[in-house]
Coordinates of all heavy atoms in Angstrom, one line a residue:
V1 N -5.1 -20.6 21.1 CA -5.8 -20.5 19.9 C -4.9 -21.1 18.8 O -3.7 -20.7 18.7 CB -6.2 -19.1 19.5 CG1 -6.9 -19.0 18.2 CG2 -6.9 -18.5 20.6
T2 N -5.4 -21.8 18.0 CA -4.7 -22.4 16.9 C -5.2 -21.8 15.6 O -6.4 -21.7 15.4 CB -4.9 -24.0 16.9 OG1 -5.1 -24.4 18.2 CG2 -3.8 -24.6 16.2
G3 N -4.3 -21.6 14.8 CA -4.7 -21.0 13.5 C -4.7 -22.1 12.5 O -3.7 -22.7 12.1
I4 N -5.9 -22.4 12.1 CA -6.1 -23.4 11.1 C -6.5 -22.7 9.8 O -7.4 -21.8 9.8 CB -7.1 -24.4 11.5 CG1 -6.7 -25.1 12.8 CG2 -7.4 -25.4 10.4 CD1 -7.7 -26.0 13.4
N5 N -5.9 -23.0 8.8 CA -6.2 -22.4 7.5 C -7.3 -23.2 6.9 O -7.1 -24.4 6.4 CB -5.0 -22.4 6.6 CG -5.2 -21.6 5.3 OD1 -6.3 -21.1 5.1 ND2 -4.2 -21.5 4.5
L6 N -8.5 -22.7 6.8 CA -9.6 -23.4 6.3 C -9.7 -23.2 4.8 O -10.3 -24.1 4.1 CB -10.9 -22.9 7.0 CG -11.0 -23.2 8.4 CD1 -12.2 -22.5 9.0 CD2 -11.0 -24.6 8.7
L7 N -9.1 -22.2 4.3 CA -9.1 -22.0 2.9 C -7.7 -21.9 2.3 O -7.1 -20.8 2.1 CB -9.9 -20.7 2.5 CG -11.3 -20.6 3.0 CD1 -11.8 -19.2 2.9 CD2 -12.2 -21.6 2.3
P8 N -7.0 -23.0 2.1 CA -5.6 -23.0 1.7 C -5.4 -22.5 0.2 O -4.4 -22.0 -0.1 CB -5.2 -24.4 1.8 CG -6.4 -25.3 1.8 CD -7.5 -24.4 2.3
W9 N -6.4 -22.7 -0.5 CA -6.3 -22.3 -1.9 C -6.2 -20.7 -2.0 O -5.7 -20.2 -2.9 CB -7.5 -22.8 -2.7 CG -8.8 -22.4 -2.2 CD1 -9.6 -23.0 -1.3 CD2 -9.6 -21.2 -2.7 NE1 -10.7 -22.3 -1.1 CE2 -10.8 -21.2 -1.9 CE3 -9.4 -20.2 -3.6 CZ2 -11.7 -20.2 -2.1 CZ3 -10.3 -19.3 -3.8 CH2 -11.5 -19.2 -3.1
R10 N -6.8 -20.0 -1.0 CA -6.7 -18.5 -1.0 C -5.3 -18.0 -0.8 O -4.9 -17.1 -1.4 CB -7.6 -17.9 0.1 CG -9.1 -18.0 -0.3 CD -9.8 -17.2 0.7 NE -11.2 -17.0 0.4 CZ -12.1 -16.5 1.1 NH1 -11.8 -16.0 2.3 NH2 -13.3 -16.4 0.7
S11 N -4.6 -18.7 0.1 CA -3.2 -18.3 0.4 C -2.4 -18.6 -0.9 O -1.5 -17.8 -1.2 CB -2.7 -18.9 1.6 OG -2.5 -20.3 1.4
S12 N -2.5 -19.7 -1.5 CA -1.8 -20.0 -2.7 C -2.1 -19.0 -3.8 O -1.3 -18.6 -4.6 CB -2.0 -21.4 -3.1 OG -3.3 -21.6 -3.5
L13 N -3.4 -18.6 -3.9 CA -3.8 -17.7 -4.9 C -3.2 -16.3 -4.6 O -2.8 -15.6 -5.5 CB -5.4 -17.6 -4.9 CG -6.0 -16.7 -6.0 CD1 -5.7 -17.3 -7.4 CD2 -7.5 -16.6 -5.8
R14 N -3.2 -15.9 -3.3 CA -2.6 -14.7 -3.0 C -1.1 -14.7 -3.3 O -0.6 -13.7 -3.8 CB -2.8 -14.4 -1.5 CG -2.4 -13.0 -1.1 CD -2.7 -12.7 0.3 NE -2.8 -14.0 1.1 CZ -2.3 -14.1 2.3 NH1 -1.8 -13.2 3.0 NH2 -2.4 -15.3 2.9
L15 N -0.4 -15.8 -3.0 CA 1.0 -15.9 -3.3 C 1.2 -15.8 -4.8 O 2.1 -15.2 -5.3 CB 1.6 -17.2 -2.8 CG 1.9 -17.2 -1.3 CD1 2.3 -18.6 -0.9 CD2 3.0 -16.2 -0.9
E16 N 0.3 -16.4 -5.6 CA 0.4 -16.4 -7.0 C 0.2 -15.0 -7.5 O 0.9 -14.6 -8.5 CB -0.6 -17.4 -7.6 CG -0.5 -17.6 -9.1 CD 0.8 -18.1 -9.6 OE1 1.5 -18.9 -8.9 OE2 1.3 -17.6 -10.6
K17 N -0.8 -14.3 -7.0 CA -1.0 -12.9 -7.4 C 0.2 -12.0 -7.0 O 0.6 -11.1 -7.8 CB -2.3 -12.3 -6.7 CG -3.6 -12.8 -7.3 CD -4.7 -12.1 -6.6 CE -6.0 -12.6 -7.2 NZ -7.2 -11.9 -6.6
E18 N 0.8 -12.2 -5.9 CA 2.0 -11.4 -5.5 C 3.1 -11.7 -6.5 O 3.8 -10.8 -7.0 CB 2.4 -11.8 -4.1 CG 1.6 -11.2 -3.0 CD 2.0 -11.5 -1.6 OE1 3.2 -12.1 -1.5 OE2 1.3 -11.3 -0.7
R19 N 3.3 -13.0 -6.8 CA 4.4 -13.4 -7.8 C 4.1 -12.8 -9.2 O 5.0 -12.3 -9.8 CB 4.5 -14.9 -7.9 CG 5.2 -15.5 -6.7 CD 5.3 -17.0 -7.0 NE 5.7 -17.6 -5.7 CZ 5.3 -18.8 -5.3 NH1 4.5 -19.5 -6.1 NH2 5.7 -19.3 -4.2
S20 N 2.8 -12.8 -9.6 CA 2.4 -12.2 -10.8 C 2.6 -10.7 -10.8 O 3.1 -10.1 -11.8 CB 0.9 -12.6 -11.1 OG 0.5 -11.9 -12.2
F21 N 2.3 -10.1 -9.7 CA 2.5 -8.6 -9.6 C 4.0 -8.3 -9.7 O 4.4 -7.4 -10.4 CB 1.8 -8.1 -8.3 CG 2.0 -6.7 -8.1 CD1 1.3 -5.7 -8.9 CD2 2.9 -6.2 -7.2 CE1 1.4 -4.4 -8.7 CE2 3.0 -4.8 -7.0 CZ 2.3 -3.9 -7.7
R22 N 4.8 -9.1 -9.0 CA 6.2 -8.8 -9.0 C 6.8 -9.0 -10.5 O 7.6 -8.3 -10.9 CB 7.0 -9.8 -8.1 CG 6.8 -9.4 -6.6 CD 7.5 -10.3 -5.7 NE 7.2 -9.9 -4.3 CZ 7.2 -10.8 -3.3 NH1 7.6 -12.0 -3.5 NH2 6.9 -10.4 -2.1
R23 N 6.3 -10.1 -11.1 CA 6.7 -10.3 -12.5 C 6.3 -9.1 -13.4 O 7.1 -8.6 -14.3 CB 6.1 -11.6 -13.1 CG 7.0 -12.8 -12.7 CD 6.5 -14.0 -13.4 NE 5.9 -14.8 -12.3 CZ 4.8 -15.6 -12.3 NH1 4.1 -15.6 -13.4 NH2 4.5 -16.2 -11.2
Q24 N 5.1 -8.6 -13.2 CA 4.6 -7.5 -14.0 C 5.4 -6.3 -13.7 O 5.8 -5.5 -14.7 CB 3.1 -7.2 -13.7 CG 2.2 -8.3 -14.3 CD 0.7 -8.0 -13.9 OE1 0.4 -7.1 -13.1 NE2 -0.2 -8.8 -14.5
I25 N 5.7 -6.1 -12.5 CA 6.6 -4.9 -12.1 C 8.0 -5.0 -12.8 O 8.5 -4.1 -13.3 CB 6.7 -4.7 -10.6 CG1 5.4 -4.2 -10.0 CG2 7.8 -3.8 -10.2 CD1 5.4 -4.0 -8.6
L26 N 8.5 -6.2 -12.7 CA 9.9 -6.5 -13.3 C 9.8 -6.3 -14.9 O 10.7 -5.6 -15.5 CB 10.4 -7.9 -13.0 CG 10.9 -8.1 -11.6 CD1 11.2 -9.6 -11.4 CD2 12.0 -7.2 -11.3
V27 N 8.7 -6.7 -15.5 CA 8.5 -6.5 -16.9 C 8.4 -5.1 -17.2 O 9.0 -4.5 -18.2 CB 7.3 -7.4 -17.4 CG1 7.0 -6.9 -18.9 CG2 7.6 -8.8 -17.4
V28 N 7.5 -4.4 -16.4 CA 7.4 -2.9 -16.7 C 8.7 -2.2 -16.5 O 9.0 -1.3 -17.2 CB 6.2 -2.4 -15.8 CG1 6.2 -0.9 -15.8 CG2 4.9 -2.9 -16.2
L29 N 9.4 -2.5 -15.4 CA 10.7 -1.9 -15.1 C 11.6 -2.2 -16.3 O 12.4 -1.3 -16.7 CB 11.2 -2.3 -13.8 CG 10.6 -1.7 -12.5 CD1 11.2 -2.3 -11.3 CD2 10.7 -0.2 -12.5
G30 N 11.7 -3.4 -16.7 CA 12.5 -3.8 -17.9 C 12.2 -3.0 -19.1 O 13.1 -2.5 -19.8
V31 N 10.9 -2.9 -19.4 CA 10.5 -2.1 -20.6 C 10.9 -0.7 -20.4 O 11.3 0.0 -21.3 CB 8.9 -2.3 -20.8 CG1 8.4 -1.3 -21.8 CG2 8.6 -3.7 -21.2
V32 N 10.6 -0.1 -19.2 CA 11.0 1.3 -18.9 C 12.5 1.5 -19.1 O 13.0 2.5 -19.7 CB 10.5 1.7 -17.5 CG1 11.1 3.1 -17.1 CG2 9.0 1.8 -17.5
V33 N 13.3 0.5 -18.6 CA 14.8 0.6 -18.7 C 15.1 0.6 -20.2 O 16.0 1.4 -20.7 CB 15.5 -0.5 -17.9 CG1 16.9 -0.6 -18.3 CG2 15.3 -0.2 -16.4
I34 N 14.6 -0.4 -20.9 CA 14.9 -0.5 -22.4 C 14.5 0.8 -23.1 O 15.2 1.4 -23.9 CB 14.1 -1.7 -23.0 CG1 14.8 -3.0 -22.4 CG2 14.2 -1.6 -24.5 CD1 14.1 -4.2 -22.8
I35 N 13.3 1.4 -22.8 CA 12.9 2.6 -23.4 C 13.8 3.8 -23.0 O 14.2 4.6 -23.9 CB 11.4 3.0 -23.0 CG1 10.4 2.0 -23.6 CG2 11.1 4.4 -23.4 CD1 9.0 2.1 -23.2
L36 N 14.2 3.8 -21.8 CA 15.2 4.9 -21.4 C 16.5 4.7 -22.0 O 17.2 5.7 -22.5 CB 15.3 4.9 -19.8 CG 14.1 5.4 -19.0 CD1 14.4 5.3 -17.5 CD2 13.9 6.9 -19.4
V37 N 17.0 3.5 -22.2 CA 18.3 3.2 -22.8 C 18.2 3.6 -24.3 O 19.1 4.3 -24.9 CB 18.7 1.8 -22.7 CG1 19.9 1.4 -23.6 CG2 19.1 1.5 -21.2
V38 N 17.1 3.2 -25.0 CA 16.9 3.6 -26.4 C 16.8 5.1 -26.5 O 17.4 5.7 -27.4 CB 15.7 2.9 -27.0 CG1 15.3 3.5 -28.3 CG2 15.9 1.4 -27.0
W39 N 16.1 5.8 -25.6 CA 15.9 7.2 -25.7 C 17.3 7.9 -25.5 O 17.6 8.8 -26.1 CB 14.9 7.7 -24.6 CG 14.5 9.1 -24.7 CD1 14.4 9.9 -25.8 CD2 14.2 10.0 -23.6 NE1 14.0 11.1 -25.5 CE2 13.9 11.2 -24.1 CE3 14.2 9.8 -22.2 CZ2 13.6 12.3 -23.3 CZ3 13.8 10.8 -21.4 CH2 13.5 12.1 -22.0
H40 N 18.1 7.3 -24.5 CA 19.4 7.9 -24.3 C 20.3 7.7 -25.5 O 21.0 8.7 -25.9 CB 20.0 7.1 -23.1 CG 21.4 7.5 -22.8 ND1 21.8 8.7 -22.3 CD2 22.6 6.8 -23.0 CE1 23.1 8.8 -22.1 NE2 23.6 7.6 -22.6

């Protein structure tokens, strides 16, 4: 069986969503760290 990707735009969209999610997590973590440092 050969795996042919019939919808390549979905995989790129999924990769883009994962990258966006990772960026959001990094931003949220950065904001949380900044808030914790300021609170400290």
Side-chain angles (χ1 to χ4, degrees):
V1 179
T2 327
I4 299 175
N5 188 1
L6 297 174
L7 301 168
W9 59 273
R10 283 187 173 177
S11 67
S12 67
L13 185 64
R14 188 174 25 140
L15 284 173
E16 187 59 35
K17 282 184 179 181
E18 285 179 13
R19 286 183 191 145
S20 174
F21 180 73
R22 286 181 186 154
R23 276 187 247 139
Q24 286 177 352
I25 286 181
L26 286 176
V27 168
V28 169
L29 285 176
V31 169
V32 168
V33 167
I34 290 173
I35 289 174
L36 287 176
V37 167
V38 169
W39 188 35
H40 176 72

